[in-house]
Amino acid sequence: MRIKLTQFKSQPQIRRRAVRLALALVLGLSIYSNTMAAAPVTQASVPLAALQSFVAVYERIRLQHVEAKTDEELLQLALEGLILKLDPFSSYLDADDMIRLQQDTRGEYSGIGVELVPEGNYIRIITPIDSSPAYRAGIQPGDWITHVQGTAVKGLDVHAINQLMSGEVGTEVALIILRNGEELKFALTREIITTKSVRSELMADNVAYLRISHFQDHTGQDLVEQMERLKLAGADRWLLDLRNNPGGTLAAAAEVADAFLTEGIIVTTKARQRHGNMRFDASSTDPSEGWPLAILINNGSASASEIVAGAIKDHQRGQLVGNTSFGKGSVQSIIALPEGAGVKLTTAYYYTPDGHNIHLKGIEPHLKIDNTSIEDDLQLTSALDLVNFLDAKK
């Protein structure tokens, strides 16, 4: 095969087009900068050499790529590529993705029920959502997705993967998963995933078991309501299960931690721009009554789960049991774009009350316990023993 090398010709028409495109980009940057005027940031001059290179490549693709693309399509691809290279958690969201994000925050969407993160050439499953098709099929935290609907995922971001896996209720999605070197095939039927984020039960010895699967808008309120119900049923200790909880909204995490704390910092965020710095403090009310507390975490506990675990650990309010958490210590903001699209952009890191940034590190439990089998939940058993000891000690 021969590769033909040609020199880019500076034809007047192309030059005029390049100038118009460059001008549009510069004006776009200027307009965006004006919208951020509330945050004083020194604006560097536009790097003209880099901009000229971009325009030259853009024109070459527009004129010579084997498949013709419109300006709108090319600019869309440029936008997606820009965000793709930032970090694993930033992504472009089209109008459908924005709707799905809102549904997820509310707790209902169509899919198979998995939380994902791109790592290397594949997509890692953070956790299957409780009672979802993925959960029932036996998909596990730490599994690697290599193909979706027969398409290799190498080089794709979470946005592209979600597009492949999205579809109407009742339709099927095929996955190829790599687990401990073994290739596994799954055929899952999409359904409405209702992520009721809190469930609870009164266990033996008056232990109030609280399971949070995801942090949604009403998680904090739902948790307190179930705590009140369990107190009336005779509970006098708390066991909070955050295993395989991929996270959710920052405010919900602060509300959950506040249900067990009565003072001090819960979490702070630090961003490049001052208005992105936030601080959440505990209120004096105490739905937990100060009763002994144990929290279950594992490597599927991420983001908002780690905010709660970190706050409880730093304030020495309870004991953590299980495995080291996932280590997602960043905050994503949703930026709305025209025509219903948007960008999920990493804009800050969060810090535990003692000032720890756990990004890519995770939170270490006080008592490290591995679950060796699905049938025998050693982590739960150990947490129950520990919370009973804490009660006796108190």
Side-chain angles (χ1 to χ4, degrees):
M1 179 180 67
R2 297 177 60 190
I3 299 176
K4 183 179 179 181
L5 298 178
T6 59
Q7 186 173 358
F8 188 78
K9 298 180 180 179
S10 300
Q11 299 173 354
Q13 183 180 1
I14 294 177
R15 283 204 305 269
R16 288 195 296 271
R17 185 179 183 86
V19 169
R20 287 197 297 270
L21 180 58
L23 182 60
L25 289 169
V26 171
L27 288 174
L29 289 171
S30 175
I31 292 169
Y32 178 76
S33 298
N34 291 335
T35 66
M36 303 297 288
V41 178
T42 302
Q43 296 291 336
S45 60
V46 177
L48 293 180
L51 191 57
Q52 288 169 347
S53 296
F54 172 81
V55 173
V57 173
Y58 179 95
E59 278 298 295
R60 179 63 61 84
I61 294 172
R62 189 184 70 83
L63 293 172
Q64 296 185 357
H65 190 267
V66 67
E67 295 182 6
K69 302 289 184 183
T70 65
D71 284 331
E72 183 180 22
E73 290 172 327
L74 289 176
L75 289 172
Q76 180 71 27
L77 290 172
L79 176 60
E80 294 177 13
L82 170 66
I83 299 167
L84 173 63
K85 293 297 184 179
L86 291 176
D87 65 82
F89 304 105
S90 295
S91 60
Y92 173 82
L93 307 172
D94 61 21
D96 291 336
D97 292 327
M98 288 287 281
I99 292 173
R100 281 191 290 269
L101 180 63
Q102 294 167 2
Q103 292 173 339
D104 189 37
T105 302
R106 292 194 301 266
E108 184 177 289
Y109 66 95
S110 172
I112 61 172
V114 287
E115 293 289 338
L116 310 170
V117 62
E119 287 188 6
N121 291 330
Y122 301 131
I123 301 294
R124 179 184 172 190
I125 293 177
I126 299 177
T127 185
I129 293 173
D130 289 353
S131 302
S132 67
Y135 181 89
R136 296 195 303 269
I139 290 176
Q140 300 176 10
D143 284 347
W144 298 89
I145 298 178
T146 64
H147 293 76
V148 179
Q149 304 292 57
T151 300
V153 302
K154 183 177 180 179
L156 300 182
D157 63 355
V158 170
H159 163 72
I161 291 296
N162 284 335
Q163 280 190 320
L164 285 174
M165 293 203 296
S166 64
E168 297 294 327
V169 172
T171 58
E172 190 174 273
V173 57
L175 302 180
I176 297 180
I177 282 177
L178 194 64
R179 179 188 301 164
N180 298 326
E182 181 182 1
E183 188 176 275
L184 305 173
K185 295 183 179 181
F186 293 86
L188 306 176
T189 301
R190 300 179 180 94
E191 60 186 51
I192 293 295
I193 306 298
T194 302
T195 54
K196 295 180 180 179
S197 62
V198 184
R199 63 180 178 86
S200 64
E201 63 176 292
L202 185 63
M203 304 185 76
D205 299 321
N206 296 327
V207 175
Y209 174 83
L210 299 159
R211 162 68 181 164
I212 301 179
S213 60
H214 202 87
F215 287 84
Q216 301 165 348
D217 290 343
H218 302 292
T219 297
Q221 177 183 340
D222 292 344
L223 176 72
V224 171
E225 289 176 355
Q226 296 201 36
M227 291 173 73
E228 295 299 328
R229 180 177 60 81
L230 288 166
K231 285 191 286 187
L232 291 175
D236 57 16
R237 280 152 295 157
W238 307 109
L239 177 54
L240 178 61
D241 192 347
L242 297 179
R243 291 177 296 177
N244 299 329
N245 182 321
T249 67
L250 180 64
E255 291 174 2
V256 168
D258 192 22
F260 299 97
L261 298 171
T262 57
E263 62 180 359
I265 297 172
I266 293 174
V267 64
T268 59
T269 69
K270 295 181 181 179
R272 286 179 59 196
Q273 300 188 28
R274 187 174 301 173
H275 73 277
N277 297 335
M278 294 183 288
R279 170 173 166 163
F280 293 83
D281 292 283
S283 63
S284 59
T285 57
D286 186 16
S288 73
E289 307 285 350
W291 294 344
L293 168 67
I295 298 181
L296 284 162
I297 60 172
N298 65 4
N299 60 6
S301 305
S303 190
S305 298
E306 295 172 294
I307 288 175
V308 175
I312 296 301
K313 184 176 183 180
D314 284 3
H315 283 290
Q316 301 180 33
R317 171 63 182 88
Q319 297 289 303
L320 308 185
V321 180
N323 305 114
T324 304
S325 63
F326 182 80
K328 181 181 179 294
S330 59
V331 179
Q332 282 70 48
S333 299
I334 306 302
I335 301 171
L337 297 176
E339 300 182 357
V343 171
K344 183 168 66 172
L345 184 67
T346 299
T347 53
Y349 288 114
Y350 72 76
Y351 295 81
T352 69
D354 286 348
H356 300 301
N357 177 5
I358 58 89
H359 194 60
L360 304 181
K361 302 173 185 175
I363 295 175
E364 296 287 339
H366 295 95
L367 180 60
K368 187 171 183 178
I369 300 292
D370 293 324
N371 269 352
T372 55
S373 68
I374 298 177
E375 294 78 15
D376 189 10
D377 193 343
L378 294 178
Q379 293 174 339
L380 178 60
T381 302
S382 300
L384 287 169
D385 290 342
L386 178 60
V387 80
N388 277 317
F389 168 77
L390 292 172
D391 182 57
K393 185 177 181 181
K394 182 178 180 182

